[in-house]
Structure formats: C-alpha cells, structure tokens
Amino acid sequence: MSKVINIFKGLGYAYIFTLLVILIYNALLTFTKLSSDNTGLVLSIITTFGSAFGGFYACKQIKEKGLIYGLIEGLLYIVFLIVLIFLAKETFSFEMSMLYSTVLTTLAGGIGGIIGVNF
C-alpha cells in the first residue's frame, strides 16, 4: 500500500513541478520579449521533465524496480493530463501528437524511476 501512496505523491509533486515551471515560462513570455513561436515544444519539454521528476521521487521512496514504477508513474501522469485536456476542451480528438506525448512522458517517468532508485 505504501508503494501506491508513493506513486500518487510522485504524481502530485510532478504536477506541482509542472505547474510552477509553466507559470515561470508564462511570466517570461509576458514580461520579456521572448517569442511564443516554440510554445508547443517548450510545454512538451516541461511535461517530460515533470514526468521524470515524478518517477524520480516515487522510486526514490520505493527503492526498488525503478523502471517499472517509473513507467507506471509516467503513464499515470500523461493519462490524467489527457483526461484533464478532454474535460477542458469543447471538442476533443485524439491526435498523433498525444500518442507521441504518451510515449515520451512514459519513458521519461521510467528514466526518472531508474535514476531515483540508484540515487
């Protein structure tokens, strides 16, 4: 049961990390002359690092099977994010970029989990 709790704590910390970094990025866009041409790429990088951070935290606490628990962390991270996007948008369609994001964040969670176990 403590493994599940650590996975959900990792998800919480991953979303907090993602939210803080997105807020900083938005502040930079607002108050500087930073171009918003690459917003999609930057958001993809931020969510990837958020997933890796969540996998790192969860597996650092669990201390075993970093790849498996990290992949679970990354998959849950992106699934909850897709559900949130589904609820926020008026018309929702699953696009190829979402599949790319799913694979990328799941792998990032696994990598973060491996690093977290060995940290």
Side-chain angles (χ1 to χ4, degrees), residues 1-9 58 62 64-65 69:
M1 190 64 162
S2 67
K3 293 176 185 177
V4 174
I5 291 170
N6 285 324
I7 286 175
F8 281 109
K9 277 185 182 179
I62 294 172
E64 66 178 355
K65 298 180 184 174
Y69 290 120

Side-chain angles (χ1 to χ4, degrees), residues 7 11 50-60 62 64-78 102-117:
I7 286 175
L11 278 174
S51 175
F53 179 73
F56 173 82
Y57 176 81
C59 293
K60 185 177 176 195
I62 294 172
E64 66 178 355
K65 298 180 184 174
L67 178 63
I68 294 170
Y69 290 120
L71 289 173
I72 291 170
E73 179 82 28
L75 186 63
L76 286 174
Y77 176 87
I78 194 65
T102 302
V103 170
L104 186 65
T105 56
T106 302
L107 290 176
I111 292 169
I114 291 170
I115 295 171
V117 164

Side-chain angles (χ1 to χ4, degrees), residues 94-111:
F94 193 81
E95 300 166 356
M96 198 62 175
S97 64
M98 286 187 179
L99 182 63
Y100 163 74
S101 294
T102 302
V103 170
L104 186 65
T105 56
T106 302
L107 290 176
I111 292 169

